[in-house]
Amino acid sequence: MSGDQSLPGQAPVPEEADEAPYWETPDIHGAYPRLTEDQTARLEEHGQRRTTAPDDVLIREGERCETFFVVLSGTVAVVENYGTPEEHVLRVHGPGRFIGELGLLHEQVAFYTAVVREAGEVLVVSLDQLRHLVSQDSSIGDVVLRACLCRRALLVGEGAGFRIIGSRYSPDTRRLREFAVRNRVPHRWIDLETDQEAEELLHRFGVGPEETPLVIWRDTTLLRNPSNAELARLIGLPSLPAGNRHGDVLIVGSGPAGLAAAVYAASEGLSTTVVEAMATGGQAGTSSRIENLLGFPSGISGAELTERAVLQADKFGAGISLPLEATGLHPKDDDHYVVAFADGSDIAARAVVLAMGARYRRLQVPGIERLEGTSVHYSATVYEAQQCRTDPVAVVGGGNSAGQAVLFLAGYAPKVHLLVRGAGLQANMSRYLIDQVERHPRVEVMLHTEVTEVIGREVLEELDVVDNRTGGHRRLAVRSLFVFTGADPHTDWLAGTIALDSRGFVLTGPEAQEACARPEVWHGLGRSCMALEAGLPGVFAVGDVRSGSVKRVASAAGEGAMAIHFVHRHLGHSAAPGTTGISAVAGHSDVSLRIRHKESAWLA
């Protein structure tokens, strides 16, 4: 094994250090913590000791992670491309360190190989036991989760994992890159237009440019223009078992609202399924730091908030599957709803929670389309920020998401221009963000400013911007553009099924009942449409997709939790033969229910 073992931003390790028998990678930002004796002892209560010898492989790249290892003695190297000419060491861990990153907690395939360097002993803990400890023991859970998130971010920044080969002008290349980025999956993009490595790889695999984009992993797996679902299966993203197509609650969307609904539904004994079209976390999952969320005075990243919520939902037994894009909703004749998906599958449930959120609007200006996914972005994560270390960037938008992005990017880029078309930030941005943005030495706020053209053939070179008061134009030399200009709901598939407002958001409560095409449904139930109910009995809308919602993480999570209280009330009403909500729609009545005596434990 060979290669530079230094971390990003650090001086290379001297050659003599590379040959030292017990050299290990220093801890950076909490990515490589050393467990205390007490923490190790508690883990040992749930694991077994194993003696190791040099070159023992503990985790193999490309195989599903199934075991948690703690190094008790000796050293273990984390290696990419193990056993190939491109093999190189990423990390070395000694006694007290554990092996693994975020994929370990979700049983994804490994993006590295863990091989014993010096003989010793490791503690072996099953993943079921690890998840139990992470969710029950905060002293262990916080250390492990934070380290796993940091390690995943480092892998992403280093370009580890699979490779995407494709043209920056290809919509499918942009689709694959967006899917990988939003799911925080380690990968490297090789531009067919400019990267010399692209031609060598195409020749090696005997494929032509017309067959791109390609996904290549470990030089043994090649996918030609795979769907998002095919890529998800390759890397082990969560999916439902083939027979798991019926349940109590189906939640469409996995942002804060959907994940909160999943946690409360599953913890209260309802069989719960969550489906997601793109990535867990929704818009919040792309936030660099959320500082106004109750209980997190120092802030929390959207990625960490998402992973904590996913672990909670998993702990209580909720099933999560992605990518599944909903295409239709209709009632069955047995008091269930059926949601159909783009892949031809469907799932039936007694109640449906709509939590699809909203997607940032794309900026419609000349020259922008060909640079989307390369120099123009609609999220600001570590992946995009890594590309902004030497050049100025611009952010368009005046809300909280834009403010969070500006502060995050200012930690990487030498200059950040915030372009706001209004006269100030007060209308849509929280005061705490305004204060930080206006005080930051690397940030320039440009009010009354709009982008009129994006200039650059292969990468962004300049923006043409206009002062909307005077009509005067100027050029900004920037290399990346980040757009946060409002959002549109993901509700096209619901048109004609439930009532939407003029902007496409889902109506709920009395407004939805008034707009209901079949008011006799509610007369048959003997009740009115509940606060979060979307005009059909047992269908609820929460979070950003709901008309009139407050676009904040805390309110979205609160609505998700509240929706499950209403789900219990709906299922309780459904117990009366002949008057069930879905049966009234479908013309069928008899149904047996499994209902808890207590409507909602969290309200007890």
Side-chain angles (χ1 to χ4, degrees):
M1 291 171 287
S2 61
D4 179 12
Q5 298 172 358
S6 61
L7 292 175
Q10 285 197 311
V13 176
E15 289 298 324
E16 59 270 23
D18 185 63
E19 298 173 1
Y22 294 104
W23 181 87
E24 65 175 7
T25 305
D27 187 16
I28 297 294
H29 306 307
Y32 314 121
R34 203 177 307 280
L35 298 174
T36 66
E37 291 184 3
D38 182 56
Q39 289 169 335
T40 302
R42 271 176 283 168
L43 284 165
E44 192 166 2
E45 294 174 4
H46 303 275
Q48 296 180 330
R49 288 175 173 257
R50 179 192 299 176
T51 302
T52 61
D55 298 324
D56 282 352
V57 174
L58 305 180
I59 299 173
R60 191 176 296 277
E61 186 175 353
E63 295 182 1
R64 195 173 294 273
C65 300
E66 296 179 342
T67 311
F68 180 69
F69 296 97
V70 179
V71 181
L72 300 177
S73 61
T75 56
V76 175
V78 174
V79 182
E80 189 180 19
N81 298 315
Y82 180 66
T84 74
E86 298 177 348
E87 173 183 323
H88 63 281
V89 175
L90 297 172
R91 328 271 184 251
V92 177
H93 297 300
R97 301 270 187 91
F98 64 86
I99 311 301
E101 52 90 47
L102 196 58
L104 177 74
L105 299 177
H106 301 310
E107 292 187 78
Q108 295 176 8
V109 296
F111 295 96
Y112 54 85
T113 295
V115 59
V116 175
R117 190 174 187 181
E118 281 93 27
E121 194 175 26
V122 296
L123 178 63
V124 182
V125 181
S126 72
L127 286 187
D128 286 340
Q129 290 292 348
L130 175 64
R131 289 197 196 94
H132 176 77
L133 286 167
V134 166
S135 62
Q136 299 292 333
D137 189 325
S138 62
S139 68
I140 292 176
D142 287 350
V143 170
V144 170
L145 179 58
R146 198 154 291 154
C148 285
L149 285 164
C150 288
R151 295 177 185 190
R152 172 57 63 93
L154 286 170
L155 285 175
V156 169
E158 293 162 345
F162 59 87
R163 287 168 285 187
I164 298 173
I165 303 176
S167 169
R168 65 182 58 211
Y169 306 116
S170 163
D172 281 319
T173 298
R174 292 199 295 269
R175 169 182 58 81
L176 291 169
R177 292 190 66 218
E178 181 183 11
F179 184 75
V181 168
R182 289 287 302 275
N183 282 285
R184 304 173 289 281
V185 178
H187 70 286
R188 180 159 59 94
W189 171 50
I190 300 173
D191 188 0
L192 190 64
E193 309 295 332
T194 61
D195 201 316
Q196 294 181 352
E197 186 182 357
E199 184 175 350
E200 187 272 329
L201 286 169
L202 293 179
H203 178 74
R204 185 193 309 176
F205 284 91
V207 296
E210 69 280 358
E211 297 179 79
T212 60
L214 306 175
V215 170
I216 298 176
W217 197 7
R218 296 176 293 127
D219 287 345
T220 60
T221 302
L222 183 146
L223 301 178
R224 290 175 169 84
N225 194 14
S227 66
N228 289 354
E230 289 172 321
L231 180 55
R233 300 294 84 81
L234 174 69
I235 57 184
L237 293 180
S239 61
L240 296 177
N244 190 11
R245 296 292 169 177
H246 292 79
D248 294 323
V249 183
L250 173 63
I251 301 166
V252 185
S254 65
L259 290 174
V263 168
Y264 283 98
S267 68
E268 295 174 12
L270 297 173
S271 59
T272 305
T273 299
V274 182
V275 295
E276 170 58 56
M278 178 59 74
T280 55
Q283 299 279 10
T286 67
S287 295
S288 56
R289 182 149 298 272
I290 304 167
E291 295 190 71
N292 60 347
L293 182 60
L294 183 67
F296 296 92
S298 60
I300 184 171
S301 72
E304 183 173 356
L305 181 67
T306 297
E307 296 307 332
R308 287 180 179 274
V310 169
L311 284 172
Q312 277 183 293
D314 180 73
K315 176 181 76 172
F316 291 121
I320 298 178
S321 182
L322 61 89
L324 274 180
E325 182 181 357
T327 57
L329 167 70
H330 61 272
K332 287 182 64 177
D333 59 0
D334 61 351
D335 273 27
H336 282 65
Y337 285 102
V338 173
V339 175
F341 300 98
D343 66 355
S345 65
D346 56 50
I347 297 177
R350 297 192 293 155
V352 176
V353 178
L354 304 173
M356 298 86 67
R359 176 169 294 181
Y360 285 112
R361 298 190 188 106
R362 281 176 149 68
L363 195 62
Q364 302 296 326
V365 296
I368 196 170
E369 185 174 349
R370 66 175 177 270
L371 298 181
E372 288 180 326
T374 57
S375 300
V376 177
H377 311 283
Y378 294 88
S379 63
T381 67
V382 171
Y383 178 80
E384 291 92 5
Q386 292 283 354
Q387 304 175 46
C388 303
R389 290 190 177 276
T390 59
D391 300 304
V393 303
V395 175
V396 177
N400 277 3
S401 295
Q404 290 164 350
V406 163
L407 295 173
F408 176 61
L409 293 167
Y412 292 82
K415 183 76 172 180
V416 180
H417 303 275
L418 176 58
L419 312 182
V420 183
R421 67 179 179 179
L425 298 174
Q426 293 79 6
N428 298 301
M429 190 179 294
S430 297
R431 185 71 248 177
Y432 82 95
L433 278 174
I434 295 173
D435 292 340
Q436 294 181 59
V437 166
E438 291 180 340
R439 289 198 306 262
H440 202 291
R442 296 186 182 179
V443 175
E444 178 187 3
V445 180
M446 302 174 61
L447 303 177
H448 298 287
T449 303
E450 299 181 44
V451 177
T452 58
E453 186 179 2
V454 173
I455 301 164
R457 289 185 55 81
E458 296 180 348
V459 297
L460 177 61
E461 298 172 4
E462 290 182 312
L463 296 178
D464 186 272
V465 300
V466 63
D467 185 316
N468 56 29
R469 297 167 301 177
T470 66
H473 286 255
R474 61 176 289 194
R475 293 287 180 94
L476 287 181
V478 296
R479 292 296 176 268
S480 293
L481 174 64
F482 296 82
V483 181
F484 302 93
T485 56
D488 295 316
H490 299 175
T491 55
D492 291 347
W493 62 283
L494 293 169
T497 304
I498 60 176
L500 308 176
D501 69 14
S502 60
R503 297 183 299 160
F505 292 89
V506 179
L507 293 171
T508 54
E511 288 182 300
Q513 185 170 345
E514 290 178 10
C516 181
R518 297 190 58 185
E520 66 273 14
V521 170
W522 300 103
H523 300 316
L525 279 174
R527 68 172 177 87
S528 298
C529 185
M530 290 183 282
L532 298 178
E533 214 161 13
L536 289 177
V539 178
F540 302 86
V542 296
D544 287 1
V545 78
R546 188 178 68 82
S547 179
S549 67
V550 178
K551 305 300 188 282
R552 294 290 186 270
V553 171
S555 62
E559 288 186 11
M562 191 187 304
I564 302 308
H565 169 65
F566 293 135
V567 166
H568 283 296
R569 288 182 58 184
H570 162 71
L571 296 179
H573 274 85
S574 297
T579 61
T580 58
I582 307 174
S583 294
V585 176
H588 185 75
S589 61
D590 192 23
V591 64
S592 62
L593 294 172
R594 295 177 289 107
I595 288 289
R596 285 189 168 202
H597 295 296
K598 188 160 52 179
E599 282 187 351
S600 186
W602 67 279
L603 288 175

